[in-house]
Amino acid sequence: MIALVQLLIKYAFLEPFGVETALDGFGITLLIIATTCIAAAGNIINDIYDVETDLVNKPNRVIITNHIAEKTAYTLFIIFNVIGVGIGFYLSHVVGRAPFFTIFVLISILLYVYATYLKGTPLFGNMVISFLVALSIIIVGVFELIPVMTATNQNLQTVFFKVILDYAIFAFSINLLREMAKDIEDIDGDYKAGLNTLPIAIGRARAKNVLTGLSFLPLIAVIFYVVSDLYKQPIAVGYFLLCIVGPLLYTSIKTFNAKTKKDMHHISQMYKAIMLLGVLSLLLYLFTLS
C-alpha cells in the first residue's frame, strides 16, 4: 500500500497536472524502495518482539522461530535498514537537500523504539506508528515539491503539498483507529506479555467506547470535505459517499455493537480496506482532468 500511494501521488496526481517535481521515474522508484525497505525492517523487528503475544493472539501466523530463526531475522532487519537509509542518503543529495536524509534515520529509529518500548504504552504507541504511516505519504511531497519550490511557483507547490498533507492526515486517523481495534482484539496476548495498551489500562469496554467515539471524527471530516470541496465533481462525490463515507459509517456502527475478538478483527480489516479505498481516490484526479 505504501508503494501504491507513492506511485499514485506521482503519476495520478502530480504529473497529470504538470506540477514541477524533483524526481524522475528512477528517483520515485528509489524512494519507494527506500520507504518499503525501512517499513519491512520495522515489521521484522516488530515480529521479533511480538513472538510471545503472537503465540496467544495468532499462533498460526508466528513467523519468527517457526519459519525464520531469530538471528536471521535480526540480520534481515539490519540489511533492510541499511538499504533504506542508504538510498535515502543518496536521494537527499540527488535533490540537493542533504538534511532530508534525517527523515529516513528518524523513521528507522522510531520503528525500532515502537517495537521495543512504545508498543506497550497506552495510545502513544498507536499514535507514533500512525504518524509514520502518514509520513510515508508526506515524504513524497517533501522530495518532489520542496526541492523545486521557487518564489514563482511557491503558491502552486503549496496547494499540491496541502492535498498530500490531507491524505496523510486521513491515513493517520484511519491507521490510529485500526491500531486501537487491533489492541482490543489482541488484549489477551498483550496482557500475558506484560504490555500496557489502552484496553489493558482502562478495560476492554471503555477502550471500545473510546474507539467508537473517535471513529466518527474521520467520518465527519470526510463528509465536510465532500460538501465543501467536491460538490462540483459528481463522480468524486459518488465515490467518496459510496467507498469512504459508507464504509466508515458501517465500521462505526459495527464498533458500537462489537462484542467478540472476531468482531474487532473484522473492524480492523475494514479500516485496512478503507485505507486502500482512500488511496485509490487519487485516481479521481485523472477523471477531473478529463
Side-chain angles (χ1 to χ4, degrees), residues 237-274:
V237 170
Y239 181 89
F240 271 81
L241 290 178
L242 182 65
C243 299
I244 308 294
V245 173
L248 278 173
L249 181 59
Y250 166 81
T251 306
S252 295
I253 294 171
K254 287 293 289 184
T255 304
F256 179 77
N257 293 318
K259 291 181 174 60
T260 66
K261 180 175 180 175
K262 185 178 179 181
D263 291 336
M264 296 312 302
H265 180 73
H266 175 65
I267 290 164
S268 170
Q269 294 299 102
M270 280 301 302
Y271 280 125
K272 187 187 291 187
I274 292 167

Side-chain angles (χ1 to χ4, degrees), residues 8-85:
L8 288 177
I9 290 173
K10 171 73 171 177
Y11 293 110
F13 179 55
L14 297 178
E15 288 215 345
F17 282 98
V19 183
E20 189 175 358
T21 56
L23 299 177
D24 56 14
F26 180 64
I28 193 67
T29 301
L30 286 179
L31 182 63
I32 290 170
I33 292 172
T35 313
T36 51
C37 277
I38 294 175
N43 274 304
I44 291 169
I45 196 66
N46 194 59
D47 278 355
I48 291 172
Y49 280 89
D50 267 4
V51 170
E52 187 177 353
T53 60
D54 288 345
L55 285 171
V56 176
N57 295 327
K58 43 187 178 182
N60 296 327
R61 294 176 58 191
V62 178
I63 298 174
I64 310 301
T65 68
N66 282 359
H67 301 285
I68 298 175
E70 187 173 311
K71 184 178 179 180
T72 303
Y74 270 113
T75 302
L76 290 171
F77 166 71
I78 294 170
I79 290 172
F80 279 121
N81 265 320
V82 169
I83 293 172
V85 173

Side-chain angles (χ1 to χ4, degrees), residues 186-201:
D186 294 341
I187 187 172
D188 295 332
D190 290 346
Y191 180 80
K192 185 177 180 180
L195 302 181
N196 189 34
T197 59
L198 185 67
I200 293 173

Side-chain angles (χ1 to χ4, degrees), residues 20-201:
E20 189 175 358
T21 56
L23 299 177
D24 56 14
F26 180 64
I28 193 67
T29 301
L30 286 179
L31 182 63
I32 290 170
I33 292 172
T35 313
T36 51
C37 277
I38 294 175
N43 274 304
I44 291 169
I45 196 66
N46 194 59
D47 278 355
I48 291 172
Y49 280 89
D50 267 4
V51 170
E52 187 177 353
T53 60
D54 288 345
L55 285 171
V56 176
N57 295 327
K58 43 187 178 182
N60 296 327
R61 294 176 58 191
V62 178
I63 298 174
I64 310 301
T65 68
N66 282 359
H67 301 285
I68 298 175
E70 187 173 311
K71 184 178 179 180
T72 303
Y74 270 113
T75 302
L76 290 171
F77 166 71
I78 294 170
I79 290 172
F80 279 121
N81 265 320
V82 169
I83 293 172
V85 173
I87 293 175
F89 178 80
Y90 170 76
L91 274 180
S92 300
H93 285 78
V94 166
V95 300
R97 294 290 193 276
F100 286 0
F101 163 66
T102 57
I103 298 174
F104 298 92
V105 178
L106 175 66
I107 295 171
S108 179
I109 292 173
L110 281 178
L111 283 170
Y112 179 80
V113 174
Y114 167 78
T116 56
Y117 176 71
L118 294 179
K119 186 179 177 68
T121 59
L123 205 54
F124 185 67
N126 302 140
M127 295 179 70
V128 168
I129 202 67
S130 299
F131 166 74
L132 292 176
V133 169
L135 194 55
S136 70
I137 297 174
I138 296 172
I139 200 171
V140 181
V142 170
F143 274 83
E144 288 281 29
L145 301 177
I146 293 178
V148 292
M149 189 177 290
T150 63
T152 306
N153 68 8
Q154 183 174 355
N155 289 338
L156 183 62
Q157 300 289 93
T158 301
V159 167
F160 281 90
F161 192 89
K162 284 181 178 178
V163 174
I164 294 173
L165 188 60
D166 286 342
Y167 274 90
I169 293 171
F170 175 79
F172 172 86
S173 60
I174 299 302
N175 194 78
L176 178 60
L177 295 172
R178 180 169 181 264
E179 289 294 321
M180 293 174 67
K182 286 167 59 182
D183 280 349
I184 298 172
E185 177 189 354
D186 294 341
I187 187 172
D188 295 332
D190 290 346
Y191 180 80
K192 185 177 180 180
L195 302 181
N196 189 34
T197 59
L198 185 67
I200 293 173

